[in-house]
Amino acid sequence: DGINANKLLNRACTIGRVDAIINSTDKNFLVPVGGALIMSPNSNVIESINKNYPGRASASPMIDLFITLLSMGLDGYKGILEERKRLTGLFRQKLERVAKTFGERTLNCPRNTISFGITLDNLVSLDDVDNYSEKQQQKEQNKQITKFGSMLFTRCISGTRIVARNESKTISGHTFEGFGSSHDSYSHVYMTAACAVGMGEGEMNEFFVRLEKSWKDYCAKREKERKKKRKQKEVDASNIEENMKDMAIDNN
């Protein structure tokens, strides 16, 4: 996220081509959503962007950023950046522990020290989609996993992102395969969570407490639904058997 990954950005600008860098003010400066700072190694790019927005944008994000930076000061802002770096290792360790608890694994992205991923493969049930076509199976599995995402949101676990497998979306005539992922057909369902700037250690610990509880609640709810469906199947099978017996008696 922009300034938080300054070393990677500097390296990218040095050895490759970077036209512009967009820094969301909410992710980098603790202000409400709605603004961004745009940087570029080429001053002509910034000048061109400025000409496209002559006085058409709201001043609110700029005022929010100005007030926030004044209140924190340079030392205060550097302090929260250092705190984020300190928490990165703890965040990764706690996410790995959660992954181990639920039979998942963390995604290995060594150059990304801000956003971390964890697989959710065991949250996708195949029991109820055996008789579906492949397309129907994929749709049902994606529905299951997005339900977990909505559960996290309603429990005030914000900032996470659930990525379903082989999701396809068409926008303005352009079809995006593997929508939301960095690969057209990534082999895992996964969730991302960020060790974001401004987060304290207490908030981080609370995040993982809520995440584990929500995970357990989801698994318990899913198991309850499975038992209910199995019981219904047994009742249906019993009714069919009784009907067959009645038909046999009538024939006799």
Side-chain angles (χ1 to χ4, degrees):
D1 278 323
I3 292 173
N4 287 311
N6 54 348
K7 289 184 179 180
L8 287 176
L9 291 175
N10 289 336
R11 180 169 174 78
C13 292
T14 301
I15 66 174
R17 171 183 168 178
V18 176
D19 293 325
I21 304 159
I22 301 175
N23 304 272
S24 299
T25 50
D26 59 299
K27 293 183 178 68
N28 291 280
F29 300 103
L30 311 181
V31 298
V33 175
L37 293 180
I38 302 178
M39 306 185 300
S40 174
N42 186 345
S43 60
N44 292 329
V45 172
I46 298 299
E47 186 177 342
S48 177
I49 293 173
N50 281 334
K51 289 179 179 178
N52 286 327
Y53 296 93
R56 295 177 183 174
S58 170
S60 296
M62 187 182 300
I63 294 172
D64 290 337
L65 178 60
F66 181 66
I67 294 171
T68 302
L69 291 179
L70 279 181
S71 65
M72 287 194 298
L74 181 60
D75 290 340
Y77 185 63
K78 285 183 176 179
I80 63 173
L81 291 180
E82 288 301 318
E83 177 68 359
R84 192 203 67 78
K85 291 179 181 177
R86 184 185 75 83
L87 292 177
T88 298
L90 291 173
F91 193 95
R92 182 186 287 112
Q93 290 173 14
K94 287 180 175 291
L95 192 64
E96 288 174 348
R97 182 176 61 80
V98 171
K100 186 176 181 181
T101 299
F102 296 101
E104 304 288 354
R105 69 176 181 85
T106 54
L107 304 182
N108 184 26
C109 304
R111 293 188 178 183
N112 191 338
T113 59
I114 298 173
S115 184
F116 301 90
I118 179 174
T119 62
L120 303 175
D121 295 329
N122 291 328
L123 289 184
V124 178
S125 172
L126 301 177
D127 297 346
D128 305 324
V129 295
D130 290 340
N131 299 324
Y132 290 13
S133 67
E134 184 176 347
K135 188 174 182 180
Q136 287 176 319
Q137 284 184 7
Q138 190 65 65
K139 186 176 181 180
E140 179 61 27
Q141 289 168 14
N142 288 351
K143 183 180 178 181
Q144 290 177 20
I145 206 65
T146 52
K147 187 183 292 185
F148 177 65
S150 65
M151 178 179 282
L152 295 181
F153 183 78
T154 56
R155 284 159 175 73
C156 298
I157 304 175
S158 60
T160 58
R161 188 168 66 92
I162 305 297
V163 182
R165 287 183 63 236
N166 300 324
E167 189 79 10
S168 178
K169 184 167 288 191
T170 301
I171 302 174
S172 299
H174 298 279
T175 300
F176 297 90
E177 301 294 342
F179 186 79
S181 179
S182 300
H183 193 282
D184 287 353
S185 55
Y186 192 60
S187 56
H188 297 281
V189 178
Y190 66 94
M191 179 191 80
T192 63
C195 183
V197 63
M199 180 173 63
E201 188 168 350
E203 293 169 318
M204 180 189 69
N205 292 334
E206 180 63 22
F207 166 79
F208 284 106
V209 168
R210 293 189 185 188
L211 177 61
E212 282 200 56
K213 186 178 185 307
S214 298
W215 204 312
K216 290 176 181 177
D217 289 346
Y218 178 84
C219 291
K221 186 176 180 181
R222 187 183 63 180
E223 186 59 31
K224 185 177 180 180
E225 290 176 351
R226 281 179 179 174
K227 288 181 179 179
K228 185 177 180 180
K229 287 182 179 180
R230 282 198 294 265
K231 187 174 181 180
Q232 185 61 47
K233 285 182 180 180
E234 291 174 359
V235 171
D236 292 342
S238 177
N239 289 338
I240 292 173
E241 186 177 349
E242 289 295 327
N243 291 335
M244 293 294 291
K245 287 180 180 179
D246 291 341
M247 290 174 64
I249 293 173
D250 291 342
N251 289 334
N252 291 334

